[in-house]
Amino acid sequence: LVAMAYEWSVFLEPATFALLATALGAIMYAPYRAKLFDADMKAAAQREGTSSKGDHQHNSEANHVSKVMAISMPVVGSIVLILLFYFLSKIFVIIIIFICLVSLASLNVTWYPLSEYIVNRAFASHARIRDWSIKVPRVDLVLSVPFFLTMIIALGQMAAWLFTGHWIPTNMIAVSIAITGMMFTRIGSMKIAFILLWLFFIYDVFWVFLSHFIFGTSVMLSVAGPVSQLSLPLVIAYPRIFAKYSYSLLGLGDIVLPGLFISYLYRLKSSTAIQLSRAGLSYYAIALIGYVTGFVVTIAMLVVIQSGQPALLYLVPGIFIPVTIVAWRRGELRTVWSPPPLDPAPDVEQGQAPPAELSSPTETLPSEVGGNEDPRPDDEVEVATLLHK
């Protein structure tokens, strides 16, 4: 009984709650941050004319996962996994360089809003410093005071990770990578989500449970061990209290892949392009509940089987099946399965005057050039603005 109680004490571990809170926080923040980013891009397109509009449309289309991409991603993931299985020690330096570049870009994205807020508050009476910026020609980069502050923060975090390998800076970088991935990779329909998630479901099951028949050992578990020991920001890890020298781990794929589908449901909920039933919970809320349920089942099976578990084995059905059933019962499955474009870019004509500057943070933004007001209530706009700051 004591041994059984010790095994099931994982549900009382602060590390388990921290792991779930981190995953949910990243999944919920990413689509919200992406929505604000899109609004900034559309505002820039309105100010700068058709050239920026074209760039925005090009970038928006490039970010969407196509059917070919959804099919090829598990194949590419399998190739990378095999390379790590056989050559991890030989290509370690290349991996570190690649992770540093990805981490620097991701930290820049996640920390920039805070840096901008700090600069605006610190130099509120020094507009010349606050608003200073230089646009680098032929590169989509604007040098500014918030940009340099963000780079200092990002480089400091990277140095802390490289020289200490502590789980705190490692987790912060991993969360930044996850958020950035969910922000700039979009799923445009439930059909694409079905292909992507269920292929990765098969991918996870094969490389955890079935790969030992070919390679003599579980390839996924063999790679996950060294990755966690080397403190690479490819997993979220929290130290356990009740189990000494042990960590609770969750791979970034177990956050990003379900998060892409949940982000799509968030945009579906927020979109004015289609009308969905307002009765009951939204598909976004149902998917979040399903993610928590799948996470709990994963931990339970980890205790029961006493072996590493592919989290997608429980997360994918946990979020996909309830959403599918509810959509079918509401008669909206066809709409959710393949909806019209959720975030059409505004039409900006050459020479059109830019929108007037906001006089207060609670003033509503025009949703398009035609002059329609933001469909959200004023209190929701105010809350969203304050959360962004």
Side-chain angles (χ1 to χ4, degrees):
L1 290 177
V2 173
M4 184 179 297
Y6 177 78
E7 291 174 356
W8 287 97
S9 66
V10 66
F11 282 103
L12 302 177
E13 277 281 358
T16 303
F17 291 99
L19 208 59
L20 178 59
T22 301
L24 283 179
I27 290 173
M28 295 175 68
Y29 177 72
Y32 172 74
R33 178 78 174 88
K35 185 177 181 180
L36 296 176
F37 179 82
D38 288 346
D40 291 341
M41 290 292 292
K42 291 177 182 179
Q46 290 178 351
R47 288 194 301 268
E48 298 179 15
T50 56
S51 174
S52 294
K53 172 197 171 186
D55 292 340
H56 171 68
Q57 288 179 329
H58 172 74
N59 293 334
S60 179
E61 292 171 0
N63 292 339
H64 278 76
V65 177
S66 64
K67 187 185 297 184
V68 174
M69 290 175 61
I71 296 173
S72 62
M73 285 170 70
V75 177
V76 174
S78 298
I79 295 173
V80 172
L81 197 60
I82 293 174
L83 290 175
L84 292 177
F85 179 70
Y86 283 113
F87 307 109
L88 178 60
S89 60
K90 297 180 180 179
I91 61 175
F92 180 71
V93 176
I94 299 176
I95 294 174
I96 291 296
I97 294 174
F98 176 76
I99 290 177
C100 285
L101 295 176
V102 173
S103 301
L104 189 61
S106 301
L107 290 168
N108 188 28
V109 170
T110 52
W111 283 110
Y112 188 84
L114 178 61
S115 298
E116 190 176 38
Y117 175 76
I118 293 174
V119 170
N120 288 339
R121 291 294 299 269
F123 299 100
S125 57
H126 299 81
R128 187 173 181 179
I129 299 176
R130 183 190 64 212
D131 301 331
W132 175 87
S133 65
I134 297 177
K135 188 171 184 179
V136 180
R138 299 183 181 180
V139 180
D140 189 16
L141 179 65
V142 177
L143 303 179
S144 62
V145 177
F147 171 80
F148 288 113
L149 178 58
T150 303
M151 290 297 293
I152 292 172
I153 297 174
L155 291 172
Q157 281 189 274
M158 289 178 58
W161 161 59
L162 287 170
F163 292 108
T164 68
H166 197 272
W167 59 270
I168 293 179
T170 305
N171 284 354
M172 294 179 72
I173 294 175
V175 170
S176 296
I177 293 173
I179 290 174
T180 305
M182 290 183 284
M183 278 182 59
F184 294 105
T185 305
R186 311 287 176 87
I187 290 178
S189 69
M190 190 173 176
K191 176 175 65 176
I192 299 298
F194 177 86
I195 297 172
L196 181 67
L197 289 181
W198 287 102
L199 282 180
F200 268 106
F201 174 91
I202 298 171
Y203 161 96
D204 230 15
V205 171
F206 174 80
W207 289 113
V208 173
F209 292 134
L210 305 178
S211 59
H212 74 275
F213 291 110
I214 300 174
F215 298 91
T217 184
S218 173
V219 174
M220 184 73 77
L221 297 181
S222 298
V223 172
V227 166
S228 60
Q229 292 174 3
L230 294 171
S231 299
L232 298 179
L234 303 178
V235 296
I236 307 296
Y238 286 99
R240 293 181 181 177
I241 294 177
F242 301 128
K244 196 174 183 181
Y245 305 119
S246 180
Y247 285 81
S248 292
L249 306 175
L250 187 67
L252 289 191
D254 301 324
I255 299 175
V256 174
L257 291 169
L260 292 177
F261 180 47
I262 296 175
S263 296
Y264 158 71
L265 297 175
Y266 176 88
R267 291 186 291 116
L268 194 71
K269 175 179 73 75
S270 306
S271 176
T272 57
I274 57 175
Q275 296 296 326
L276 297 174
S277 173
R278 298 287 182 179
L281 295 174
S282 67
Y283 299 116
Y284 171 69
I286 293 171
L288 287 175
I289 295 172
Y291 187 91
V292 174
T293 304
F295 181 89
V296 172
V297 173
T298 303
I299 300 299
M301 295 304 295
L302 189 66
V303 175
V304 171
I305 300 179
Q306 291 292 305
S307 176
Q309 295 295 300
L312 293 181
L313 176 62
Y314 311 103
L315 294 175
V316 171
I319 64 175
F320 211 95
I321 293 177
V323 170
T324 303
I325 293 174
V326 173
W328 174 72
R329 289 180 61 88
R330 291 177 180 176
E332 297 174 343
L333 184 57
R334 185 184 299 272
T335 302
V336 177
W337 182 260
S338 186
L342 300 180
D343 301 306
D347 294 329
V348 182
E349 300 296 337
Q350 180 68 29
Q352 187 171 9
E357 296 293 333
L358 297 182
S359 58
S360 70
T362 59
E363 187 175 342
T364 56
L365 287 169
S367 60
E368 58 185 36
V369 176
N372 296 333
E373 293 186 352
D374 192 307
R376 297 177 297 175
D378 290 343
D379 56 342
E380 186 177 340
V381 175
E382 181 176 1
V383 170
T385 305
L386 293 176
L387 282 173
H388 177 48
K389 292 299 183 183

